[in-house]
Amino acid sequence: MEEYHPGDEVSFSPDEASNVVKECIEGIIGGVDYSQNKVNQWTASIVEHSLTQLVKQGKPFKYIVNCAVMQKSGAGLHTANSCYWDTTTDGSCTVRWENRTMYCVVSVFAVAIVL
Amino acid sequence: MANKPLPLSQEILAQFNLSLATGSCVPGPPRRRLGSISTHRSSKEQPKDQPLHRPMLLRAMTGPSSDSSFLSPNMSNSHISFSKRFSFAGWHQGGRVSFSGLYLPEPVQEIYKENTYRTGPEEGSRFSASRTQQITQATLDRYLEAVCYSPDSCSQLCQMLSDLVLSKLKDVNPPRYKLVCQVVVGQSGKQGVRVASRSLLNVDTDSYTSAVFQNQSLFAVAIVHGVYFE
């Protein structure tokens, strides 16, 4: 676990976060097909796993992780977000992933806190 | 040669008096000359075809001579009046001039905020999950009632919904709260969709809500998080 040192100049790094999230997704639904029974636990574990990995970076942020998993059937899916925050310190990143049978969209929002 | 400085000063004086009389802004170049004269009396703004100005002026300032006796009172008067203008009226652009006579940019004035000694949200102004849910649900219902899914327009619709929900919530947002709003819009088909959210928040002060809308052709999910920030 990395320690946080007060006085560090931190802003959110979307690339690092998206790498972390990609690894989490691959680990959980990497080679499997969509299954209605299991999708609940998949989404729950994706978000939990991503969140714990992000927190392990030790940065002074509050995190919000959203995950949407959708079966591939030709239907369309759109996501959008808008945020009312401090653009200098806060940030977000969105990761799109797919395999043969499903789409997975994970959004991470990081809101800075003052420690 | 000693006459040469005279036209310059009189011209400037005339303009200066005119500006005082009318109260209007003196155009740039004469101002520069004003500034350069007051500061160091040998500015680079001086036209290059009159390089002998400088020694003339200095002589006018320092030595008493028949030429300069007429000149120096003028100069000193202009000095006084110039300095008066600079100290009180100020310049329209803040009055900061570098040694070459070019205007320096205004220094950024920092706003100092006083400490309120508040470490948490006030009693009546916490993020209200129920009120936010009502507002979000009402916005989705009102807006998507008669909308049909179309692949071209729905991405813009999604972004617009997100901004709309955020703007509605900003009106009722308690102070010191940041908002994060996400909207998922999809076509209603035979597929299954699952949307999940996890967050690392402070349970005393922060919260979230979600709202779902569905009609024949599309579905929409909106998730709003409210995060306290000091």
Side-chain angles (χ1 to χ4, degrees):
Chain A
M1 181 90 72
E2 287 179 33
E3 285 291 318
Y4 172 69
H5 302 283
D8 284 354
E9 191 61 49
V10 279
S11 64
F12 182 64
S13 151
D15 304 321
E16 218 177 309
S18 73
N19 288 337
V20 165
V21 167
K22 272 184 202 161
E23 284 169 23
C24 289
I25 300 174
E26 281 289 331
I28 295 168
I29 50 173
V32 292
D33 289 345
Y34 184 85
S35 146
Q36 194 182 348
N37 309 329
K38 295 195 191 153
V39 69
N40 283 2
Q41 69 194 70
W42 285 341
T43 49
S45 26
I46 289 173
V47 283
E48 248 180 74
H49 209 218
S50 310
L51 195 57
T52 36
Q53 292 299 320
L54 286 167
V55 169
K56 272 191 191 165
Q57 292 176 348
K59 297 198 177 158
F61 286 107
K62 288 180 179 173
Y63 294 101
I64 297 162
V65 180
N66 285 342
C67 167
V69 171
M70 190 173 91
Q71 190 180 15
K72 268 193 183 178
S73 67
L77 180 75
H78 303 270
T79 65
N81 63 70
S82 59
C83 309
Y84 180 59
W85 59 23
D86 183 352
T87 50
T88 52
T89 54
D90 309 328
S92 68
C93 89
T94 307
V95 175
R96 281 159 287 277
W97 182 95
E98 62 178 286
N99 72 4
R100 205 174 51 91
T101 52
M102 55 183 165
Y103 296 108
C104 176
V105 181
V106 177
S107 309
V108 176
F109 302 92
V111 178
I113 51 176
V114 180
L115 282 183
Chain B
M1 293 297 263
N3 288 332
K4 277 189 183 173
L6 274 176
L8 186 66
S9 63
Q10 279 185 355
E11 175 192 324
I12 292 164
L13 271 180
Q15 273 178 347
F16 174 68
N17 289 332
L18 180 67
S19 71
L20 274 185
T22 58
S24 61
C25 177
V26 179
R31 275 265 197 87
R32 282 191 193 167
R33 263 179 268 148
L34 281 175
S36 59
I37 287 169
S38 73
T39 51
H40 60 101
R41 314 224 102 254
S42 62
S43 90
K44 292 176 188 169
E45 302 287 310
Q46 296 276 350
K48 291 204 172 130
D49 58 339
Q50 295 168 348
L52 299 175
H53 258 224
R54 202 175 300 178
M56 291 299 128
L57 285 172
L58 286 175
R59 215 188 318 146
M61 285 304 297
T62 54
S65 65
S66 56
D67 301 342
S68 57
S69 60
F70 172 65
L71 187 61
S72 44
N74 265 356
M75 283 309 202
S76 54
N77 282 343
S78 56
H79 255 307
I80 291 167
S81 42
F82 290 159
S83 60
K84 259 193 199 166
R85 177 169 174 82
F86 295 141
S87 59
F88 294 124
W91 290 356
H92 288 257
Q93 279 137 349
R96 287 174 28 90
V97 167
S98 74
F99 74 93
S100 62
L102 297 169
Y103 288 114
L104 290 172
E106 268 283 329
V108 175
Q109 291 180 352
E110 281 190 39
I111 301 168
Y112 292 103
K113 293 190 179 158
E114 285 181 16
N115 199 343
T116 60
Y117 298 100
R118 183 156 283 289
T119 53
E122 283 170 34
E123 274 321 305
S125 54
R126 287 173 179 272
F127 181 75
S128 160
S130 53
R131 188 175 55 178
T132 314
Q133 210 277 336
Q134 283 168 4
I135 295 173
T136 319
Q137 187 75 62
T139 313
L140 281 184
D141 293 341
R142 202 176 335 133
Y143 209 83
L144 293 175
E145 216 182 302
V147 176
C148 202
Y149 180 84
S150 115
D152 329 312
S153 65
C154 264
S155 54
Q156 274 179 336
L157 169 78
C158 196
Q159 183 68 59
M160 197 184 36
L161 262 180
S162 185
D163 296 332
L164 187 68
V165 168
L166 195 71
S167 62
K168 293 253 185 285
L169 290 174
K170 272 200 266 188
D171 299 333
V172 296
N173 190 35
R176 295 177 162 207
Y177 269 90
K178 293 181 180 176
L179 292 172
V180 176
C181 166
Q182 182 167 25
V183 173
V184 180
V185 169
Q187 191 176 13
S188 252
K190 298 264 171 60
Q191 82 278 14
V193 181
R194 179 83 179 162
V195 179
S197 171
R198 263 305 183 278
S199 42
L200 179 72
L201 304 169
N202 181 351
V203 288
D204 299 327
T205 56
D206 308 328
S207 185
Y208 76 97
T209 51
S210 61
V212 178
F213 172 84
Q214 188 168 15
N215 71 10
Q216 285 290 72
S217 65
L218 57 73
F219 68 90
V221 178
I223 307 167
V224 179
H225 284 83
V227 177
Y228 178 76
F229 181 76
E230 282 177 25

